[in-house]
Amino acid sequence: MYLANTGRPDAPPRPLGVRRRVPATVIALGAVSLVTDVSAEMVTAVLPLYLVLGLGLSPLQFGFLDGMFNGATALVRLLGGRLADRGGRHKRVAGAGYLLSALSRLGLLLADGATAGIAGSLAADRLGKGVRTAPRDALISLSGPPETLGRAFGVHRAMDTTGALLGPLAAFAVLWATADAYDAVFAVSFCTGLLGVLLLVLYVPSGTPAPPVRPTRLQHAALRDPVFRRVLYAACLLGAATIGDSFLYLLIQRALDLPAALFPLLPLGAAAGYLLLAVPAGRAADRFGRRLPFLAGHAALLGAYAALLLPVAWPTVTAVLVLLAVFYASTDGVLMALAGPVLPAHRRAGGLAVLQTGQALARLLGAAGFGAAWTFWGQGPALWAAALALAAALAAAWRILPAPARAPGPTPARAPGPTPARAPDPDTTPEAP
């Protein structure tokens, strides 16, 4: 272990009544993410319709594109994490990623339906997201004490999800006002993304420069830590059994035969629930441990798969959206809070990039595999296979993830006499990075 007991991934709960203000860095980054997510979710909300219904791509082609660009995001996260850790340049690296994603909306606008242009723009968007994610999360994890990271990530994710909630609404409004003109959605998204970059430049502090380290060993140092490896293995295993929200929304759209103009509204239910649950889930993870909420969130996702195996009606849709909200609130920020304290400060971005890369590559396999299964077997058998895979991954992750540390309790009385010698506890003894 790199840190003492307070830095363990599932540290004991902090004492009752101890409250800390959310750091200003978290609020500023939350505002940037809010505005950026409005821009991103405007495109994400209409993209499946634009590609599958508008341009005629098959589910296999859509799954390949979605998974491939998620994979590109994953690989670039390693570069973003390494660059951010070299000299503590987290803000500059994150800003470059936000700017690249904003410019990708302009690429979609100029592509005019050309497959190569659309593919290039999607790649630029995912690359920008990959570059910025690890430095941003490192800034959050370094902004406060480890025992409050769940709440800090919860606040950030709640603000981020506010943007996810407003983005589809904005896309719906633009489509309604322009008679389904996708170009108008891309233009508004581009302008909103530039606003997010401006907020980052003006209001997010640069942070304290990190001590010099050998850049070629940033990620490898994280992989040598046994606790971090267990978190990584569990996240990758569960990620490989995750098929992606877009497929779930397409399943709902086909079952209910929703009109194209209503499709962008489907993510709103999950986003609203995530907004309400992100902060309580983070605070609960700080108080009771982060392992159980992370696993429970994936159990909720399994419930969403099971619900879609039943006859789909509006009550089923409501249940799926609520379960998706529980899934994201209990896993997204909680995973970063689980892994962050394991890593030393000057290697935080690189280590988180390794975790995010592994999870994203696993989701690449899950998205491409589900798209292929849907194309060759049909949507019913494909969803059954996804549900069984997630159930098996949950059982394995329960054994892999490190168990929570016990909360400190009163010292029991003992008989008078000399104190017996005791070997040092390797889990609580600091170790040099």
Side-chain angles (χ1 to χ4, degrees):
M1 291 292 295
Y2 289 111
L3 304 177
N5 192 47
T6 55
R8 292 187 62 175
D10 234 348
R14 57 192 173 94
L16 293 174
V18 176
R19 299 176 63 88
R20 295 179 183 268
R21 295 178 60 186
V22 177
T25 299
V26 176
I27 300 299
L29 286 169
V32 173
S33 294
L34 189 157
V35 173
T36 302
D37 233 38
V38 171
S39 170
E41 291 301 322
M42 286 183 67
V43 175
T44 301
V46 302
L47 197 60
L49 286 179
Y50 182 60
L51 296 178
V52 175
L53 301 183
L55 301 183
L57 271 65
S58 71
L60 174 60
Q61 291 171 315
F62 174 71
F64 178 76
L65 276 177
D66 188 60
M68 180 179 67
F69 293 130
N70 278 326
T73 302
L75 295 175
V76 174
R77 279 175 176 159
L78 294 175
L79 176 62
R82 173 174 295 184
L83 292 176
D85 279 335
R86 296 181 66 180
R89 297 179 293 185
H90 300 87
K91 177 181 176 179
R92 280 183 283 176
V93 175
Y98 280 112
L99 180 60
L100 183 58
S101 290
L103 293 176
S104 73
R105 322 286 189 236
L106 182 61
L108 285 173
L109 183 63
L110 299 177
D112 196 25
T115 304
I118 292 171
S121 298
L122 293 178
D125 174 50
R126 303 302 171 86
L127 291 176
K129 183 177 181 180
V131 167
R132 72 178 185 253
T133 301
R136 181 204 65 199
D137 285 349
L139 281 171
I140 296 172
S141 69
L142 294 170
S143 65
E147 64 270 16
T148 63
L149 285 185
R151 182 167 178 254
F153 276 104
V155 169
H156 175 269
R157 291 329 194 237
M159 297 180 71
D160 182 85
T161 306
T162 302
L165 186 65
L166 296 176
L169 281 175
F172 171 76
V174 172
L175 287 178
W176 177 80
T178 61
D180 296 342
Y182 291 103
D183 286 351
V185 175
F186 301 150
V188 175
S189 173
F190 167 65
C191 296
T192 309
L194 288 182
L195 176 60
V197 176
L198 182 62
L199 290 175
L200 177 78
V201 172
L202 294 178
Y203 296 108
V204 175
S206 297
T208 304
V213 292
R214 293 179 58 186
T216 57
R217 299 183 62 187
L218 293 177
Q219 284 82 25
H220 299 295
L223 292 175
R224 285 199 297 268
D225 185 271
V227 178
F228 179 80
R229 285 202 307 268
R230 291 168 71 180
V231 175
L232 174 65
Y233 296 157
C236 291
L237 189 61
L238 291 166
T242 303
I243 65 175
D245 298 352
S246 296
F247 278 119
L248 297 182
Y249 298 144
L250 281 174
L251 288 169
I252 292 172
Q253 191 273 335
R254 293 194 172 195
L256 298 179
D257 195 23
L258 291 178
L262 293 181
F263 187 83
L265 298 179
L266 282 178
L268 290 182
Y274 185 16
L275 174 62
L276 295 174
L277 296 174
V279 176
R283 294 182 65 179
D286 284 340
R287 190 171 300 278
F288 303 111
R290 294 154 190 164
R291 175 176 178 264
L292 187 58
F294 182 70
L295 295 173
H298 285 87
L301 181 63
L302 179 59
Y305 293 178
L308 287 176
L309 290 169
L310 303 172
V312 178
W314 281 110
T316 308
V317 174
T318 302
V320 170
L321 298 181
V322 170
L323 290 169
L324 278 177
V326 174
F327 165 65
Y328 281 113
S330 303
T331 59
D332 187 15
V334 171
L335 177 61
M336 295 299 101
L338 181 67
V342 179
L343 302 162
H346 60 281
R347 290 172 176 160
R348 188 72 51 90
L352 293 181
V354 170
L355 177 60
Q356 293 163 355
T357 297
Q359 186 181 52
L361 288 175
R363 288 179 175 176
L364 160 64
L365 296 177
F370 182 78
W374 186 350
T375 300
F376 296 116
W377 300 344
Q379 64 186 46
L383 193 56
W384 269 109
L388 292 174
L390 182 55
L394 262 173
W398 177 268
R399 301 295 302 272
I400 294 173
L401 277 176
R406 293 183 178 180
T411 304
R414 61 180 182 87
T419 303
R422 184 172 64 90
D425 183 356
D427 281 340
T428 61
T429 302
E431 178 179 323

